[in-house]
Each structure stands twice: as structure tokens, then as C-alpha cells.
Amino acid sequence: MPHFLRRISYLRRLALLPPVLCLVAAMCRVAAADPLNAKDIMIVGQALHFIEPPLQGAIRVAVVYNQATPGSEREANQVVDHFDGELTVGSLSMHPVAVSLAQIDQTPFDAVISADGAGTAALRQALTQRHAPCVTGHREQVTGGFCQIYLTSQPNVDILLNQAASDAASVHFATAFRIMIHTL
């Protein structure tokens, strides 16, 4: 094959490189969990209504991040921003605060939203001591037993409950809730 034809063939392969890189980047974005969005936060509020005995009135939601995990604090702040100060869903008025995993023991809370990297033994211990529910957009935290509920609304609503983690924290959900979700 003449040299100039080989060069054209090489240039065609190079032209394919940007679309291939875009496809790989898109697949990586799908694999990485996104922080909970505004719709997810509304669903969190609805799910908290199914706790027995029910949470009522104003509740404190600790949005926990791990300083050792890049992007974790940013994710927690994004989640807090979705509350726009406070969010009322039904009879619950949720007041969020971003909290470092290192400060979780000194922070009063009624429920937790766990950011990337916050699913640790320290979080599990705090949830068990306070008998508090935990929701996350990071499935591995729920399958690992660090948080009780995985929740996403993209592309469809999907809720997964780790029953063992829920039992360990003495957080009980109404039968109607357990019928609507997947359980580990």
C-alpha cells in the first residue's frame, strides 16, 4: 500500500478517536453515582413518612461527607442546596446540614443522607446509636450495610432497602413501604 494511503487510513482512525473517547466518558459518568437531585430529595421525604413510629414535625437531616474522599463535601453541599434552606414534605419539615464524618458523633440529627465515601463503620455506628434512617445515592453503601436505603429517580424510581442494616439501627418501615421497594 502506498505511503500516502496508509497515512489517510491513520488519519481516519484518528478522526474516530474523539467520538470513542466521548462514549467512554459517558459510560464512566453512568457508572459513577450522581448526588441526589431535587426529585430524589422529595422522595426521601416521602420515604421517611413510612418509618414506624413516624417522624413528625421539624427533623434535622445530616448530609454526611467524608473529607478523605475527593468530591464528597461538594456532593454534600449540592444535596443541601436542593433543600433550599428547608423542605416540607407532608407533615415533615426537613432541615439539612452538611456534616463531616469526623463530626457525626457531635451533631444532632434525626435522619442522614450519605455522600460518596461516607459509608463507613463510623457512620453505621452513629446510625445504630441514634436509631436513625440513612439514605444514599451510592448503592455500594447499602449493599455494604453502612446505610439502609439506596434511592435514585433516574431513569426511574428505584429504592433498595438493606433490611439487616435497618434492623441493626432499629429503624422499622411500614409494610406498605416494604411492598413498594426491593429488599436485600
Side-chain angles (χ1 to χ4, degrees), residues 138-160:
H138 301 279
R139 188 179 197 102
E140 72 282 357
Q141 291 186 27
V142 173
T143 57
F146 301 109
C147 192
Q148 299 121 10
I149 299 172
Y150 162 77
L151 186 147
T152 185
S153 62
Q154 301 300 319
N156 299 312
V157 175
D158 184 21
I159 302 173
L160 176 66

Side-chain angles (χ1 to χ4, degrees), residues 10-154:
Y10 174 74
L11 292 174
R12 282 186 185 153
R13 283 184 274 162
L14 278 180
L16 289 176
L17 190 58
V20 169
L21 290 176
C22 288
L23 178 61
V24 169
M27 290 187 319
C28 290
R29 274 195 302 269
V30 168
D34 290 326
L36 297 178
N37 60 39
K39 183 178 178 182
D40 296 332
I41 300 302
M42 291 297 289
I43 296 169
V44 167
Q46 293 166 351
L48 293 177
H49 280 92
F50 287 98
I51 292 176
E52 294 179 341
L55 296 172
Q56 295 179 354
I59 64 167
R60 296 161 299 209
V61 179
V63 184
V64 181
Y65 62 91
N66 187 340
Q67 290 178 311
T69 301
S72 185
E73 184 173 7
R74 181 174 29 86
E75 178 184 334
N77 288 326
Q78 288 173 340
V79 169
V80 168
D81 288 345
H82 288 306
F83 281 87
D84 199 24
E86 91 175 55
L87 180 67
T88 300
V89 179
S91 63
L92 291 180
S93 177
M94 300 184 295
H95 302 273
V97 59
V99 177
S100 166
L101 188 59
Q103 297 298 314
I104 192 69
D105 287 336
Q106 294 84 30
T107 304
F109 62 86
D110 302 297
V112 168
I113 294 176
S114 179
D116 188 27
T120 64
L123 178 62
R124 181 177 23 218
Q125 181 180 355
L127 295 170
T128 301
Q129 289 174 345
R130 308 265 181 97
H131 309 291
C134 178
V135 180
T136 187
H138 301 279
R139 188 179 197 102
E140 72 282 357
Q141 291 186 27
V142 173
T143 57
F146 301 109
C147 192
Q148 299 121 10
I149 299 172
Y150 162 77
L151 186 147
T152 185
S153 62
Q154 301 300 319

